[in-house]
Amino acid sequence: MSEGMSEGMSDGVSIDDVLAELRALRESDLPTHGGRTLAYVYDSGLAEVGELGQRAHALASSANGLDPTAFPSLLRMENDLVATAARLLGGDERTVGSVTSGGTESCMLAVLAAREGAKQRTSTPNIVLPSTAHAAFRKAAHLFGLRAVHVAVDEKTFRADPAAMAAAIDDDTVLVVASAPSYAHGVVDPIPEIAAEAARRGVRMHVDACIGGWVLPYLRRLGDEVPPFDLAVEGVTSLSVDLHKYAYCPKGASVLLHADAQLRGGHYFASADWPGYTMLNTTLQSTRSGGPLAAAWAVVRYLGDDGYLRLARDTRAAMERIKTGIADIEGLRVLGSPNATLLAVTSEDGADFDLFTVADKMARRGWYVQPQFGHGSSPVNLHLTITAANHGDEDGFLTDLADAVAAAREAGPVVVAEEMRTLIAALDPDTLTAEQFEGLLRAAGLDVAGGLPDRMAQVNALLEAAPARLRERVLLEFLGLLYRPHRG
Ligand SMILES: Cc1ncc(COP(=O)(O)O)c(C=O)c1O
């Protein structure tokens, strides 16, 4: 936070100064272009795509999607985007949809619509989902009062187990979920089998194609064997696909498709029972900036089918090269057999280096790779989201990765002291006191006042030793410390 702001509202500053300040603030961020940040961001590698998105965003950011009759341009652009997504993803003339702010909102709306659609049938609804489904569904269950029934996936392939999913469906199930692909391992679940069972039981089925939906159809056209996953599959009733991922649009845009209009009704909301305007919402937001929608519309129009095919070709080439290169680095291996453009890289059993340290060493070399904690049969690993921008610099990445592994080997293992493990094991996340939190944060090296440590391996090793629920509590506490305006 700038000094002026932290002292309360300051006198105005010149445009040049404000922008200089903003640029300076942004310098501490991870780079969003150039392919060196392998999570959070998606880079087409085409400078004009970024520029077009920004200009289109600016043209419509003051328009309000709250009232499509007042801003018909936004209505038109939303219908265009939904139609394009439906054509790409197996929809037909009955397919409808909504543009939302992102993947989490799309997934949440699918859950909400399913709950509302089954209101007459159950007052204790649940959703059945593979343990690898995105955490957005846990959030939806949490906020909308449903029970999330997590079903273990295949231990080796990390794909959902259709028989186990079928066994988990009961009279209160309102939605079955599967991923195309999952974020953590990049594998596509067996959608046809799961959808067929859902249909047989009269339950809705959502395909979370948030991350893969805009690239899988193109990989298929390029000759990859992509398993059936879209709305053309019998029994699939909704599908989410994020424009701000592999459609390379600026952040804040996703599409939720429904097989027909009746399925969508449950996430529409109206309130006329107050003295103001009748509030009519298609999504969780009410006022909706036209910026992300217009930016997405412009980028999708500009790139077109041929543009996305070219980008998918580049991404696929980068993915193949990086995947093969990783197999050649002693001690590393890829988890499962990814179907899309995401990789989870783990260490071979008995490897003599620490993966969290590899992430630190990569950061030193200017690459961000995302540590993923162990979960079920999935060991600690490093997540890589490969984009078109990685094409051309695959060998640069692989050389640095091999060096980072060698450096991690030299640094030796990261050890969590036995007394620390005992302390963690004794903590109950539900009754932790502020003092215990503080002690744990300090021990984990998450001392906000002193700034974040530049090496995260020790912190991650400690967090890995904590059960997921404790990790959630500790990190939420940490988040609370971060979001304090007057930290001094
Ligand atoms: C499969 C999947 N679903 C949902 C989401 C959530 O998307 P967002 O971060 O846009 O809310 C993601 C994000 O990576 C994802 O990979």
Side-chain angles (χ1 to χ4, degrees), residues 42 102-105 107 134 136 181 183 208 210-211 242 244-245:
Y42 301 79
T104 299
E105 189 180 6
C107 297
H134 195 276
Y183 181 84
D208 179 5
C210 281
I211 201 159
D242 292 355
H244 62 203
K245 293 193 170 83

Side-chain angles (χ1 to χ4, degrees), residues 40 42 101-107 132-137 178-184 206 208-212 240 242 244-245 251-254 342 383 385:
Y40 307 124
Y42 301 79
S101 64
T104 299
E105 189 180 6
S106 290
C107 297
T132 48
H134 195 276
F137 294 97
S179 315
S182 60
Y183 181 84
H206 179 78
D208 179 5
C210 281
I211 201 159
S240 48
D242 292 355
H244 62 203
K245 293 193 170 83
K251 298 248 180 280
S254 166
L342 314 171
H383 168 97
T385 293

